[in-house]
């Protein structure tokens, strides 16, 4: 196949191309080549819906060549049960499993998210966009380091931890700060990026919360299990 014949594929995640086009990213062609190669040689006949894969390829292409990213993504897909959902049904099941975990550990946090109508947007941000629309780049890269070792459960851990940490900030700083319908989401982005006074998300605190104890009371406390290394 000639490079000029390569077509864009999104694997169920069109937001990747919307973001690359909007930012006029010079690496758009590399993303196109890698995703098309994966689509034709690795995913062909198996799945056209792997929404996290385009985001991972985009992040990795910032530091690796096209061929290296292709092989890295291929190996992730070959171990997809460890890294991401490999079909639409698995993706939906992953979202529901995350919400079930969040609801069991922090029911009030989930109730607020449902009230603000941000549940679908939040789960898509985790399992489709890898937090790239709310985290600054340095945090995304730190998360990628952890994810490459521990796999998909990292997204559960950090998704729950972020929702809980931001839930407190939302009530104190953002709940009454705006009358806009999407104030919860705007506040989340501001919280993750922080301000000049140092108010905002501390990634080290987020890591401790992600691997710490969740829930209240002796019988309700829960700690996400670590992977033995």
């Amino acid at each position: 196949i000639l490079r000029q014949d390569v077509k864009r594929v999104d694997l169920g995640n069109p937001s990747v191309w919307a973001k690359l086009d909007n930012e006029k990213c010079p690496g758009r062609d590399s993303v196109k080549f890698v995703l098309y190669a994966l689509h034709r040689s690795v995913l062909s006949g198996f799945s056209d819906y792997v929404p996290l894969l385009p985001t991972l390829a985009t992040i990795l292409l910032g530091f690796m060549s096209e061929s290296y990213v292709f092989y890295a993504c291929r190996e992730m897909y070959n171990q997809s049960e460890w890294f991401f959902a490999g079909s639409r049904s698995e993706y939906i099941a992953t979202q529901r499993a995350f919400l079930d975990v969040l609801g069991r550990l922090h029911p009030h946090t989930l109730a607020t998210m449902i009230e603000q109508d941000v549940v679908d947007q939040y789960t898509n941000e985790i399992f489709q966009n890898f937090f790239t629309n709310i985290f600054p780049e340095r945090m995304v890269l730190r998360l990628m380091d952890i994810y490459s070792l521990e796999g998909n459960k990292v997204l559960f851990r950090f998704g729950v931890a972020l929702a809980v940490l931001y839930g407190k900030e939302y009530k104190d700083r953002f709940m009454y700060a705006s009358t806009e319908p999407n104030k919860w989401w705007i506040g989340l982005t501001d919280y993750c990026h922080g301000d000049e006074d140092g108010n905002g998300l501390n990634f080290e605190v987020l890591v401790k919360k992600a691997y710490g104890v969740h829930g209240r009371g002796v019988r309700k406390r829960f700690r996400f299990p670590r992977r033995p290394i």
Side-chain angles (χ1 to χ4, degrees), residues 98 102 109 113 122 158-168 184:
F98 172 80
L102 179 60
T109 299
M113 294 172 64
Y122 189 71
F158 280 80
V160 170
L162 177 61
V164 174
L165 292 177
Y166 173 63
K168 300 177 182 178
W184 191 95

Side-chain angles (χ1 to χ4, degrees), residues 7-228:
K7 300 177 182 178
R8 286 187 175 189
V9 293
D10 58 34
L11 303 180
N13 185 358
S15 63
V16 167
W17 289 116
K19 187 174 182 179
L20 291 174
D21 290 338
N22 184 53
E23 297 177 356
K24 298 180 180 179
C25 177
R28 285 176 293 182
D29 286 344
S30 293
V31 176
K32 181 173 68 173
F33 298 147
V34 170
L35 293 183
Y36 189 74
L38 289 168
H39 174 69
R40 289 295 300 270
S41 62
V42 179
L43 308 180
S44 180
F46 295 97
S47 176
D48 288 326
Y49 195 89
V50 193
L52 186 58
L53 197 56
T55 305
L56 296 177
T58 301
I59 296 171
L60 293 175
L61 280 167
F63 304 91
M64 300 162 63
S65 66
E66 295 172 12
S67 59
Y68 275 57
V69 173
F70 170 81
Y71 286 118
C73 291
R74 184 190 68 178
E75 292 307 307
M76 285 184 178
Y77 181 77
N78 289 337
Q79 301 293 327
S80 60
E81 70 280 358
W82 183 257
F83 287 103
F84 43 68
S87 67
R88 187 182 298 273
S89 60
E90 287 182 12
Y91 181 74
I92 295 174
T94 300
Q95 289 179 307
R96 292 179 177 177
F98 172 80
L99 295 176
D100 182 66
V101 171
L102 179 60
R104 289 175 181 272
L105 298 179
H106 305 282
H108 296 297
T109 299
L110 179 59
T112 300
M113 294 172 64
I114 293 174
E115 178 186 349
Q116 295 297 313
D117 194 25
V118 294
V119 170
D120 291 339
Q121 190 174 6
Y122 189 71
T123 53
N124 283 335
E125 183 59 26
I126 298 172
F127 300 107
Q128 176 175 296
N129 297 324
F130 203 79
F131 298 92
T132 54
N133 291 324
I134 54 177
F135 277 178
E137 184 180 14
R138 58 184 175 81
M139 291 187 184
V140 173
L141 300 181
R142 289 284 303 278
L143 183 60
M144 176 61 83
D145 287 341
I146 304 171
Y147 172 82
S148 63
L149 176 64
E150 297 199 12
N152 195 42
K153 63 184 178 182
V154 166
L155 302 182
F156 279 77
R157 287 173 171 158
F158 280 80
V160 170
L162 177 61
V164 174
L165 292 177
Y166 173 63
K168 300 177 182 178
E169 292 290 322
Y170 172 71
K171 294 178 179 179
D172 295 339
R173 295 173 52 194
F174 301 106
M175 180 181 289
Y176 304 106
S178 173
T179 59
E180 296 185 27
N182 59 342
K183 61 182 178 181
W184 191 95
W185 194 260
I186 294 174
L188 176 64
T189 303
D190 292 343
Y191 171 66
C192 290
H193 283 263
D195 57 28
E196 296 178 354
D197 298 326
N199 297 316
L201 178 63
N202 183 316
F203 192 80
E204 303 304 326
V205 173
L206 179 63
V207 172
K208 291 180 180 179
K209 185 64 177 177
Y211 288 90
V213 175
H214 293 261
R216 295 182 180 180
V218 175
R219 295 184 179 181
K220 295 182 179 180
R221 298 175 72 186
F222 172 82
R223 183 185 295 275
F224 281 111
R226 285 181 177 270
R227 175 192 176 193

